[in-house]
Amino acid sequence: MAETGTDIGAPAVLDRDGLDALVRALAARGRTVIGPTVRDGAVVLAEIDSGDRLPYGWGVELAAGRYRLRRRTDGAAFAHSAGPQSWKTYLHPERVRQWSADRAPDGGLTVTAGEGEGAARPSFAFIGVRPCDLRAIAVQDRVLAGGRHPDGVYRARRERAFIVAVECTEPGETCFCVSMGSGPAAENGYDLALTELTTADGGGDTDGRGDGEHRFLVRVGSEEGAAVLEEVAHRPADRPTAAAARDRVTEASRRMGRAMPPVDLRRLMGDSLDSAHWDDIAERCLSCGNCTLVCPTCFCTTTEDVTDLTGDHAERWRRWDSCFDLDFSFMHGGPVRSSVRSRHRQWMTHKLATWYDQFGSSGCVGCGRCVVWCPVGIDITEEAAEFHARARDAAGGRDGPGGDGRTGGGVPAAAAHRTDGGLP
């Protein structure tokens, strides 16, 4: 698990061959390397054995309820925004067998533990973790690895994960990380952090060594990150490259496709519980749960018991669940939240408001996945803006709840982040 805090050591520069060498170095350390790659018309996360598997030259077009790949002319590897999966696929997997039981002919029963504290621990290396997803992992760390009852499966996977973050230089049309204070720069929580500069970017050395070169500024965030970088050919970062990287991230912060209204979302949601706008949302919402499945912070699960036809073998599985499922809140007498209105209100108010009460932060990181993968194009930023507009109208045109000019994540909107730390 990456240490948190400031960078360790001076920044460096990798070229494309160096990035490929980084993938091979991590695999040589026995890690399963997971990174973005193109498959089935999307940029998905999968095991990769070479840097050549990265989606060089692919970008995306995003809109509410729409995702399309598009070709890029600059050959960028990481200019594709958040895809349909997040890293919780590997840290908090969709299905986990908790135990199995077998009955012998003599009636004896053998119970075998599933994945958990005592099982073999997978050792992942994640390549291309976005700053919004770094924040999502930090959120899940608090939910699943903190407190008195940590989740053994998550903690075992998380403790051995090596993270290579990639700062966002190409925000998607549905991204709003700036207004949630979670991007586009990588601040902490990584072992290595990359900022990609393509041939279209200037900022080469004064001796002409790198002007227009496809390269990656690398910052080190942990001792293991420093050790891995030493195994890969690299060169010290120069000021022009660092400046170009900083400019690209700053520029990205100004090109966010979406933004949350600049109010206290926690208070806005709390004051909007009885709003008639929930009925409007409910008329459009299919209650399919796509938003919870693609959300990088949603963590709810349920259990299933299965047996074979003989009844001699049984298994208990844990699988993802969704608060949009009618059975999710089923108690004696029926579900607590029987209407789509109540279920959508539960999800949105939990994500933006009551998450603070449970875990001390917002449950939304501004990745925009819930907007893209909603089949009817419900946009959480537009719905929040509508609640804000109604609150303003109710207040006689004055700013609504929490209208203090701060962002949805409770932090200033300015996002000019430093990427040249440690340069001489």
Side-chain angles (χ1 to χ4, degrees):
M1 183 182 295
E3 302 162 12
T4 58
T6 56
D7 297 342
I8 299 174
V13 175
L14 293 178
D15 59 17
R16 180 166 167 168
D17 289 339
L19 183 60
D20 183 48
L22 176 63
V23 173
R24 286 186 274 108
L26 290 168
R29 286 175 166 242
R31 294 185 177 275
T32 301
V33 182
I34 307 296
T37 191
V38 173
R39 189 183 68 208
D40 300 331
V43 177
V44 300
L45 300 178
E47 182 175 351
I48 59 174
D49 55 8
S50 164
D52 291 338
R53 296 283 308 280
L54 295 169
Y56 285 102
W58 286 102
V60 294
E61 295 176 358
L62 306 177
R66 176 183 169 84
Y67 178 101
R68 293 289 186 277
L69 286 180
R70 66 176 176 87
R71 275 292 188 183
R72 298 179 59 91
T73 59
D74 59 5
F78 298 108
H80 48 76
S81 304
Q85 300 160 292
S86 69
W87 304 95
K88 79 174 182 181
T89 301
Y90 299 94
L91 296 175
H92 181 50
E94 179 184 357
R95 285 171 55 84
V96 174
R97 185 170 61 191
Q98 296 186 294
W99 53 258
S100 62
D102 292 281
R103 182 166 54 200
D106 63 359
L109 193 64
T110 301
V111 178
T112 304
E115 181 176 349
E117 296 284 359
R121 298 181 175 188
S123 177
F124 292 117
F126 298 147
I127 305 285
V129 180
R130 304 286 174 176
C132 58
D133 281 339
L134 278 179
R135 177 67 62 85
I137 291 172
V139 169
Q140 290 215 318
D141 284 350
R142 286 195 294 275
V143 175
L144 297 171
R148 292 183 298 169
H149 305 288
D151 181 89
V153 174
Y154 179 89
R155 188 168 65 176
R157 289 168 173 249
R158 178 70 179 93
E159 285 179 345
R160 299 193 66 189
F162 185 97
I163 293 179
V164 180
V166 174
E167 296 194 301
C168 185
T169 57
E170 188 74 19
E173 295 88 341
T174 54
C175 293
F176 54 101
C177 65
V178 168
S179 61
M180 299 308 295
S182 56
E187 303 289 358
N188 52 44
Y190 55 80
D191 295 284
L192 295 172
L194 309 179
T195 309
E196 183 174 27
L197 296 170
T198 67
T199 54
D201 296 302
D205 289 328
T206 54
D207 63 2
R209 186 171 51 187
D211 196 6
E213 174 194 6
H214 192 169
R215 60 202 186 280
F216 305 85
L217 180 73
V218 188
R219 291 180 293 144
V220 180
S222 72
E223 296 293 345
E224 186 176 6
V228 171
L229 184 60
E230 284 301 311
E231 299 173 6
V232 178
H234 64 276
R235 64 175 189 262
D238 51 273
R239 286 188 177 278
T241 295
R246 182 183 60 243
D247 290 346
R248 293 285 282 128
V249 177
T250 301
E251 179 189 354
S253 72
R254 298 171 181 149
R255 293 189 290 113
M256 288 289 123
R258 299 284 197 278
M260 280 291 187
V263 299
D264 182 344
L265 293 174
R266 185 181 183 184
R267 183 178 168 192
L268 176 64
M269 289 294 99
D271 289 351
S272 302
L273 293 178
D274 296 323
S275 172
H277 186 54
W278 294 114
D279 293 321
D280 177 58
I281 296 175
E283 289 182 358
R284 291 173 281 142
C285 177
L286 303 178
S287 198
C288 65
N290 263 16
C291 49
T292 59
L293 298 180
V294 298
C295 176
T297 65
C298 279
F299 58 87
C300 290
T301 59
T302 187
T303 57
E304 290 180 339
D305 291 336
V306 297
T307 65
D308 66 5
L309 293 178
T310 68
D312 291 331
H313 178 79
E315 297 180 349
R316 170 162 290 182
W317 288 81
R318 186 182 76 183
R319 65 166 176 82
W320 289 353
D321 202 359
S322 171
C323 53
F324 281 90
D325 192 305
L326 189 60
D327 287 340
F328 183 79
S329 64
F330 187 90
M331 300 178 68
H332 176 71
V336 172
R337 292 184 283 272
S338 58
S339 67
V340 174
R341 169 194 166 108
S342 63
R343 294 198 290 279
H344 200 109
R345 183 178 64 181
Q346 153 66 23
W347 173 73
M348 190 168 169
T349 56
H350 186 214
K351 193 65 62 179
L352 299 178
T354 55
W355 201 289
Y356 284 96
D357 302 324
Q358 284 185 284
F359 307 114
S361 72
S362 172
C364 177
V365 297
C367 67
R369 288 185 176 92
C370 61
V371 180
V372 174
W373 298 98
C374 174
V376 296
I378 293 176
D379 183 334
I380 191 173
T381 64
E382 291 185 359
E383 307 308 339
E386 177 61 24
F387 284 119
H388 180 220
R390 290 176 181 238
R392 291 191 64 172
D393 290 344
R398 298 186 302 276
D399 209 351
D404 57 0
R406 298 179 74 83
T407 67
V411 296
H417 298 285
R418 176 171 172 262
T419 59
D420 60 347
L423 277 175

